[in-house]
Every structure is written in C-alpha cells, then in structure tokens.
Amino acid sequence: MPLASTGDIVSSAAHGVGAFNVVLLEQLEAVLAGAEQANSPVIVQISENAVAYRGALGPLAAAAREAIAEAAVPAALHLDHATRTDLVEEAVRCGFTSVMYDGSHLPWKENVARTRETARWCHDHGVWVEAELGAIGGKDGAHAPGVRTDPGEAARFVADTGVDALAVAVGSSHQMTRRTAELDLGLIRDLRAAVPVPLVLHGSSGVDDTTLTHAVHAGMRKINMSTHLNTVFTAAARSRITSQPTAVDPRGYLRPARDAMKHEVARMLRLLGEGPV
Ligand code: G3H
Ligand code: ZN
C-alpha cells in the first residue's frame, strides 16, 4: 500500500496505535509482517539515534518506503526523537509522514519557539508533528518514573506550538527491560480532558499488558515501543547462537529473531486495538 498518513492512522483508531522503532532491516520486516498478521495499521519509527547508528537516514528510509509499499496493511513512517532541524527537513524530503520534534532538553520558551517553527514548516509540507514538553525534563528525565506532565502546562504548550500530538510523562521511563512501570491513570484521564490532541506514551516497554490496556482506555492513543521488541528479537538470536555455536551464517539467527519479533508485534497490536476489558 502507499505510505499512510500518520494523522489518519492515529485519528481513525478506536483505541491504541502501535508505533515501533526499527534499526535493522529484519526489524522493519518484523514490524510490517506483524501488522499484517494482526491485520492492523502500524507506525514504523526511525529515531535520530538509529540514524546516528546507521550513519545516514537515506538507506533505511528508502528500505522502509519500499517495504511499506509492499505491505498489505496501512503503515506510516515517523521520525522519532529528532533534535536536529536538518534531520527533520531531510526526513520530510525522504517522504516521512510525521516527525517527533524533541525540544524537551530546552528551556520552556525556547522549546515552544523551536517546536512552533518546526510544526509550521512541517505543516506547510503536509507532515504531522508530535512534540514533548521541556519544562518537566528531557528524553530520559521527562519519562522518568517520578516525572509528571501538568495538564494545564500541556494544554498551553499545544496551543502555543500548534502540534498534532503530545508526548506526556505519566510514570513510564525509556529503555526499561522489566515491565514494572506504574502509570498514573488518573493523570492520563486529566490530560485527555485538558489536551485537544492525541496523547503519546513513550517508554512503553516498561509497562505490562494490563496496564497498557488501561492506559489506552484512559486516553493514550499512540504507544511508542522499542526496547521490549529488542528484547524479544535479541533473546531469539541469542538462543540460536548459543545452540549452534559453530554456525556462521547470520540468517541462521536473524530469521528466528525476526519471526519472534513479528509475533510480538502482532500480539501487541491486537492488545492495543482491543476495546475496554
Ligand atoms: O520513542 C520511543 C519509545 O519511547 C521507546 O521507548 O524503548 O522504552 O519502549 P522504550
Ligand atoms: Zn521515546
């Protein structure tokens, strides 16, 4: 299918939408195959950190565009946690359908000014924009267990910047390898009532299945997940490498890794897309 609009996927979802990060071609394939297995729309995310690892945006972006064009379900392409304006512009030129501008390391006024400017430029190019508050902390700070987004500040930030979605801090934390985060469901409901755009949960890997479902029903819409899928992918690869210590063909361990991630993507999309339990 042609690239889907991120805004359309998010606004037409009855419940939660999965947004999954990819660094490797096998992970891109796993996300799209998992979405096909669940018969669900999906958002493919490439982060600024992933671009730094690869050394360039172009090749992985081109692979994502080609793979999405071959997919049987709607898929959007999102630039995640971008702090560099030049990278936002490159992503838009590469056909990304949305970007997250992350000015959360900046003081409030500067974050508002830069986010507003980025949102205006992206909107002129038909691209959907997610942002994050700065006054409550940075990528790791804002999504640390003790940090919370104030609903009034969140509403003011959205009004001042014109963004299409907002990442909020409600108890999750990036890169958790155990799913033990406790979310503030009451705060999610308050944010949902105060903020006129979809809410985004970052650091979803640390949140267990039941709590994720409750977060979606309380008002979270876009669910960003990376580490949990890396855990599943790497465990399958590790198991194969351990059981076949003399094998050298990377396909031997990347195939089971890709399969395991595909099944977990499908399971997660079904979970997020379910109605109230
Ligand atoms: O933006 C990406 C997500 O927030 C991923 O966080 O690796 O903790 O799931 P996670
Ligand atoms: Zn994040």
Side-chain angles (χ1 to χ4, degrees), residues 102-138:
D102 186 348
S104 59
H105 54 291
L106 300 169
W108 170 279
K109 270 179 89 168
E110 205 177 336
N111 187 10
V112 167
R114 289 203 193 182
T115 303
R116 187 200 293 128
E117 198 178 316
T118 304
R120 192 179 296 141
W121 189 88
C122 287
H123 289 161
D124 285 347
H125 291 78
V127 167
W128 187 92
V129 179
E130 172 186 335
E132 178 174 320
L133 290 174
I136 54 163

Side-chain angles (χ1 to χ4, degrees), residues 21 45 80-81 100 130 132 139 143 174 201-203 224:
N21 290 66
Q45 304 200 131
D80 194 30
H81 284 292
M100 178 206 184
E130 172 186 335
E132 178 174 320
K139 178 183 173 189
H143 297 287
H174 278 109
L201 182 66
H202 280 245
N224 282 20

